[in-house]
Every structure is written in C-alpha cells, then in structure tokens.
Amino acid sequence: MELRRSSRIKALTMPVSPNLRTTGRNRNYHIPSQEDKEREEYEEMKKYKFRARPPPNSTFSGGVSGVPKRKTKGTTQPKTPTALKRKTAKTTGISKAKDKTKGKKGSNTAMKRLKALPLPDLQKVFEVAKKESRITKPVPFSFENRDPKPTEVREKLLKEQIEEEKKKREFKAQPLYETEGFQVDKNLSKACTKVVPFNISKPDAYEEKLKNQKERLEKENEDLAKMKEFKAQYPHAIFEEPFVPVKDSRYCKVEEFNLHSEKRGNERKKFDIELQEQRQNHELMKKQADIEKERVEEEEVAELRKKLVHRANRVGEYKKQEYEDIS
C-alpha cells in the first residue's frame, strides 16, 4: 500500500520561461556618430562621376544649331469662283485630289473656262401656267351592293328579336288550384254598398262650419278659465287616524341576523395578523441573506490573499550584449 501511494505522488512543477518572440530578435545597438555619417557621404560622392553627353552632328556639318530653317511659300494662283454652279462633295474632293497630284509633279494648273448662261428673251412675256379646275360630280352609291353580307345578318337579328317579343306577349294562364274539399265561409262575404243621394253644393254649409268653430273656441276658453281658478280640497288626513301596517304571521317571520360590519371586522383582524407574520418572515430572510453574503465575501477575500502571495519566477538566460565606445 505504501508503494502504491508513493507512485501516485507527483513531482513539484518546475518553472519554465515562455518562448517569447523577443528572444529571437537581434537588435543593433550601435548608433553612428556625426563623423561616421560624414565619412559615408564622402564615399557616396566619390562613387558619383559626371559624364558629359556627346555634341550633336549638326555642329560639325556647318548648319545652324538651335534655329529651324525658314520655309518659303509658293505664289498664290488665281482661280475662278464657283458661285454659279454648286458642286457636290464628291466632285470637289476629286478636283482637290487632282490639284494635289499636279502640284506634286510640278505642272502648272490650267485656268478654268467660265461658262456663262445664255441671256433670256426679253420680248417674251412670262406667263403663269393655269391649272384646270376640277369639280367633283356626285354619283349614286350604296353599301348594299358593296357588301351584301351585313344586311343579311342584320335581317336575321331583327327577325329573332321580333319572334322573342311575340312569345313574351302571348298570354299564358296559370293552372287552377285544387277545389276538392275546399269550402268558402259565407260569413266572410261583405254587404253591398247602398246608394244614397248626396248634394255637393249646400247653401248652409259655410254657416254650419262657422257655428261649430265658435262653439269649439268657447269650450276651450271655459276650460282654461276653470283651470286658472284655485279651489282648496278638504283636509281629510288631519282628522283621520294615521296608517298602521298590519302584520300578517303567515308571510313574515322574525329571525336572527348578523350585520356585515361584524363579519368584515373579523376578516380585518385575520388579515392584520397574516400581514405581520409576512413582515417578520421577510425580515428573517433578509438577515439570513446578509449573513450569507458576508460569509461569501470573507471566503473570496481569503482566496485573493492566497493568490496574491509573491512567487519568484526563474531568471531567463539572454545573450550577452557588446557595447562600443563612442569616444
């Protein structure tokens, strides 16, 4: 058992320096002085050599260098204007090409001959040609002779419409109801109206109307006057005995009852007790939470103190650096 336990025991962790990128860097710590800079510039100036370009051949041939020769233009040759005849672009282009070819060969361009138009006859008088006036003549025409098919179609449609209207106008009686077992009530029959003589124009009709109107107005005035008169009624209630309700044992029974205020008072007491218990429980829970919070904070502080214990790392091995004396 002791051997097994000893095999399980692990060795202590040895600190190892990390493989940083700075270990593979080689930095030049030599800073050149002002004399070294001047020496380098002097060597670069020695390497640079001035090389002159060769002179142009025109200097040795005798020509003037730098100034171009003067070009002499030829004399202008007169040409006839082309105001009378307008040439197309093709003819002008061909003539220009010919002139160029002639100029190249050295032949002188020949003068073109001017062809003037003949003079008009002044004896003849100019007359405007008269146009013959044409008058349109009416000619009978008809669309039927031109296309007889639409007329036939139109006639067929008219016939069909006329036949449909005739069918609609025909009287069609509805079938009779079944009369078997049906009897008409004799009492439903109404008496016939009796003929009575009457006169539209009565001589006393207007006078009767006036009398009826006067009587109606008199009655209305009397009713208004009666309504305005005050008549006190006899006070029977003063001399009579007061009203006393009669209790009937058959319909009303006296029973005990409880007021709603008493019930609400008891419920209020229960509610106050429950509310007080809830408050006490809430305070206890709050105290327990504060105690637990303090305990957790103490544990966290203890862990931080353990982590903050200083442990020295192994010193790394670096390359030796050589310094040069500037002086």
Side-chain angles (χ1 to χ4, degrees):
M1 293 295 286
E2 290 177 358
L3 292 169
R4 287 180 183 176
R5 285 178 182 175
S6 62
S7 63
R8 289 179 184 177
I9 294 165
K10 293 181 180 180
L12 294 171
T13 54
M14 297 297 288
V16 179
S17 62
N19 293 323
L20 299 172
R21 292 182 182 179
T22 54
T23 57
R25 292 177 185 173
N26 292 321
R27 187 174 179 182
N28 189 10
Y29 293 97
H30 177 68
I31 298 166
S33 61
Q34 186 66 26
E35 292 178 357
D36 296 336
K37 289 179 182 179
E38 288 177 358
R39 196 181 298 109
E40 288 176 359
E41 288 177 0
Y42 179 69
E43 288 176 357
E44 287 179 357
M45 288 171 69
K46 281 182 178 180
K47 290 177 182 178
Y48 179 73
K49 293 181 180 179
F50 177 74
R51 293 179 183 179
R53 293 179 181 178
N57 296 322
S58 60
T59 55
F60 300 101
S61 61
V64 180
S65 63
V67 182
K69 291 181 180 180
R70 185 180 177 185
K71 294 180 181 180
T72 57
K73 292 183 179 180
T75 56
T76 55
Q77 295 177 359
K79 291 182 181 180
T80 56
T82 57
L84 298 172
K85 292 182 180 181
R86 293 181 179 178
K87 294 182 180 181
T88 58
K90 291 181 180 180
T91 55
T92 54
I94 291 161
S95 63
K96 285 178 181 178
K98 287 180 180 179
D99 294 337
K100 286 179 181 178
T101 52
K102 288 178 183 179
K104 286 178 182 178
K105 290 179 182 179
S107 62
N108 295 322
T109 55
M111 294 291 289
K112 291 183 180 180
R113 293 181 182 180
L114 180 64
K115 293 180 180 180
L117 294 170
L119 290 168
D121 294 333
L122 299 173
Q123 293 179 0
K124 293 181 180 180
V125 180
F126 177 74
E127 293 180 358
V128 180
K130 293 181 181 180
K131 293 182 180 180
E132 294 181 358
S133 59
R134 294 179 182 178
I135 300 166
T136 56
K137 294 179 181 180
V139 178
F141 66 94
S142 63
F143 293 104
E144 293 177 357
N145 294 328
R146 188 176 66 179
D147 193 1
K149 288 183 180 180
T151 55
E152 293 175 359
V153 175
R154 199 182 303 129
E155 288 176 356
K156 285 181 182 179
L157 290 170
L158 287 169
K159 287 178 181 179
E160 288 176 358
Q161 288 179 0
I162 290 162
E163 288 177 358
E164 287 178 359
E165 287 177 357
K166 284 181 179 179
K167 287 179 182 179
K168 289 177 181 179
R169 287 173 185 172
E170 288 178 358
F171 178 72
K172 292 180 181 180
Q174 293 180 358
L176 293 168
Y177 296 103
E178 293 179 359
T179 56
E180 294 179 359
F182 181 75
Q183 293 180 358
V184 181
D185 192 1
K186 293 180 180 179
N187 294 324
L188 293 172
S189 60
K190 292 181 180 180
C192 296
T193 56
K194 294 179 181 180
V195 180
V196 178
F198 62 92
N199 294 321
I200 295 169
S201 59
K202 289 183 179 180
D204 300 330
Y206 183 68
E207 292 178 357
E208 289 179 359
K209 188 177 180 180
L210 288 171
K211 284 180 181 179
N212 293 326
Q213 192 173 1
K214 285 179 181 179
E215 288 176 358
R216 184 169 58 78
L217 289 169
E218 286 175 358
K219 284 181 180 180
E220 287 178 358
N221 292 324
E222 287 176 1
D223 294 334
L224 288 169
K226 286 178 181 179
M227 289 170 70
K228 289 178 181 178
E229 289 178 0
F230 176 74
K231 289 182 179 180
Q233 294 181 359
Y234 184 76
H236 298 285
I238 295 168
F239 302 102
E240 292 178 356
E241 294 180 357
F243 174 74
V244 178
V246 179
K247 294 181 181 180
D248 194 352
S249 61
R250 290 179 298 175
Y251 300 106
C252 58
K253 292 180 181 180
V254 179
E255 293 180 355
E256 294 181 358
F257 59 91
N258 295 322
L259 295 172
H260 190 62
S261 58
E262 293 177 358
K263 186 179 179 181
R264 288 181 71 249
N266 295 325
E267 289 177 354
R268 183 69 185 178
K269 286 178 182 178
K270 289 179 181 179
F271 176 74
D272 292 335
I273 293 162
E274 288 176 357
L275 186 66
Q276 192 172 2
E277 288 177 356
Q278 285 180 2
R279 286 175 180 173
Q280 288 175 359
N281 292 328
H282 183 68
E283 287 176 357
L284 288 170
M285 291 287 286
K286 192 176 180 181
K287 286 179 181 178
Q288 288 177 2
D290 293 335
I291 292 161
E292 191 173 356
K293 189 177 179 182
E294 288 176 358
R295 185 178 60 78
V296 171
E297 286 178 355
E298 287 175 358
E299 288 177 358
E300 288 178 354
V301 169
E303 287 179 358
L304 282 169
R305 284 175 179 173
K306 287 179 183 179
K307 290 178 181 179
L308 291 170
V309 174
H310 181 69
R311 291 179 182 178
N313 293 325
R314 186 179 176 184
V315 178
E317 294 178 358
Y318 300 100
K319 292 180 181 179
K320 292 182 179 180
Q321 297 177 359
E322 295 179 357
Y323 298 95
E324 293 181 0
D325 294 331
I326 297 169
S327 59

